[in-house]
Amino acid sequence: MRYDFCVVGGGIVGLSTARELLRRRPGASLVLLEKEPTLARHQTGHNSGVIHSGIYYEPGSFKADLCRRGVRATTEFCAEHGIDIAPIGKLIVATDPRELGRLSALESRAADNGIEVRRLDSAELHDEEPSVVGDAALLVPSTGCVDYRLVCEALRTEIEKAGGEIVTGAEITAIREDASHVLVSSADRLWQAERFVACAGLQSDRLAYLAGITPGVRILPFRGEYYRLSPGRSEIVTRMIYPVPDPELPFLGVHLTPTIDGGVTVGPNAVLGMARERYRKFSLSPRDVRDIATFPGFWRMARSYARVGLAEQWRSISRRAYLDECRRYCPSLRLADLNPMEAGIRAQAVDARGRLLHDFAFEQTERMLHVLNAPSPAATSALPIGELIVDRVIGG
Ligand SMILES: Cc1cc2nc3c(=O)[nH]c(=O)nc-3n(C[C@H](O)[C@H](O)[C@H](O)COP(=O)(O)OP(=O)(O)OC[C@H]3O[C@@H](n4cnc5c(N)ncnc54)[C@H](O)[C@@H]3O)c2cc1C
């Protein structure tokens, strides 16, 4: 079949891109190909459901700009589609006097990014959240939560209404670009398109290789393991509670997150996984392990982050150690409160020097665009990311 546009990936970034292509080119033919039987099966369906405010990100970066626009776009999109959002706000809590400097740095970054925050001292923090302790905190009112799977369902409806086709169970195994089109194939089908966009999350480097691009980064899977508080303990906090993050890492630290269904999740941590798309603890894929072990950037990263990595591994094995991390800001949590739930797996692009890419990254040819790194907050930012991709693919 011949199409104007072919998008690979039925996560939130692929869906948002497909929707935006059809909004800009009404009547165009478009196919979205997803290898799983349903949409949002990987990162998008395994995240914390947070609509991030954008406070953490370097002013001028894609992340800062797209996140700020994403909050507004997601809020409007959800209102239009009757999807519930809980605008509960969040607290970033310093639990050690040494973290106060970092908290102040975050406060000025929030100002640079135009995000409203309020600094609380220890007593004010206690008034706001009686179960939470700390030396100081930042209250970020613009953070909310949502179920991103519902956002994806609404995107699917819009794409199909606009005439787009969504094909599930279609794993792309070959991509060839020539002067007039891009040929995309699975084991038993072939699609031809004038323009091609890959939003393949945990497989994005592999899709680039399939298309003849050497991406310069490898995707390393970082598991984010969660617990869920027992139902009787969900009242323990009313807002999201985050520690002060390590600015060297693209992860935010184990946090307490009230979810849109009334529960509270604890997590996620960030431990290197041995399989990109298998969710059970200790899952292992020989191909994924080989791709990690043969990548020089992995060994360089391992040397740079050995101490942090080992501490995370230990907290992954020991529920007591995981609990201790949360008890720094919520001391009344008990071991019995933590009920294991399914992990998520982040697609983290790492370069050959072992650096973890913090920002979104793209690779483009004449007819193709590959999204190589779409880390958190890509769910929050998905609608403006779709706009940015479409600007690049067909012009603004
Ligand atoms: C634990 C965790 C917590 C997070 N928390 C938040 C949060 O609270 N807020 C936030 O904004 N962001 C959060 N994120 C980040 C956010 O979820 C992701 O950045 C976002 O979902 C990425 O979307 P995506 O479409 O790029 O990838 P994905 O959702 O992974 O989708 C990629 C799709 O491509 C498909 N695919 C891959 N290869 C092929 C192939 N060969 N053929 C066909 N299809 C293929 C896959 O099956 C998959 O469905 C979190 C992520 C994780 C893992």
Side-chain angles (χ1 to χ4, degrees), residues 141-158:
S142 57
T143 307
C145 62
V146 70
D147 183 341
Y148 284 110
R149 287 167 298 198
L150 299 181
V151 175
C152 287
E153 271 315 306
L155 287 169
R156 170 211 278 268
T157 306
E158 282 203 9

Side-chain angles (χ1 to χ4, degrees), residues 366-385:
E366 186 66 26
R367 296 187 171 275
M368 296 193 289
L369 185 142
H370 288 254
V371 178
L372 285 179
N373 199 44
S376 186
T380 307
S381 318
L383 296 171
I385 292 175

Side-chain angles (χ1 to χ4, degrees), residues 111-131:
D112 293 343
N113 283 324
I115 294 157
E116 182 202 334
V117 295
R118 185 155 68 88
R119 184 148 180 150
L120 308 180
D121 63 21
S122 173
E124 289 167 327
L125 171 62
H126 183 263
D127 290 345
E128 292 285 341
E129 287 288 347
S131 302

Side-chain angles (χ1 to χ4, degrees), residues 9 29 35 42 54 60 102 130 144 154 163 182 200 218 249 279 283 365:
S29 55
K35 68 177 161 56
H42 292 295
R102 280 195 206 160
V182 181
R218 184 146 307 173
L249 297 172
Y279 293 90
S283 292
T365 67

Side-chain angles (χ1 to χ4, degrees), residues 8-13 33-36 42-44 46-50 52 148 170-172 199-201 203 207 226 344-346 374-380:
V8 169
I12 197 164
V13 176
L33 306 171
E34 165 55 50
K35 68 177 161 56
E36 302 293 347
H42 292 295
Q43 296 178 92
T44 304
H46 288 89
N47 64 28
S48 306
V50 178
H52 285 288
Y148 284 110
E171 177 165 3
I172 300 316
C199 309
Q203 308 293 339
L207 266 277
Y226 291 95
I345 304 177
R346 305 176 185 84
S376 186
T380 307

Side-chain angles (χ1 to χ4, degrees), residues 3-5 21-31 162-165:
Y3 294 86
D4 296 316
F5 301 111
L21 282 165
L22 291 168
R23 277 155 64 99
R24 298 258 192 110
R25 290 279 168 87
S29 55
L30 177 147
V31 64
E165 259 178 65

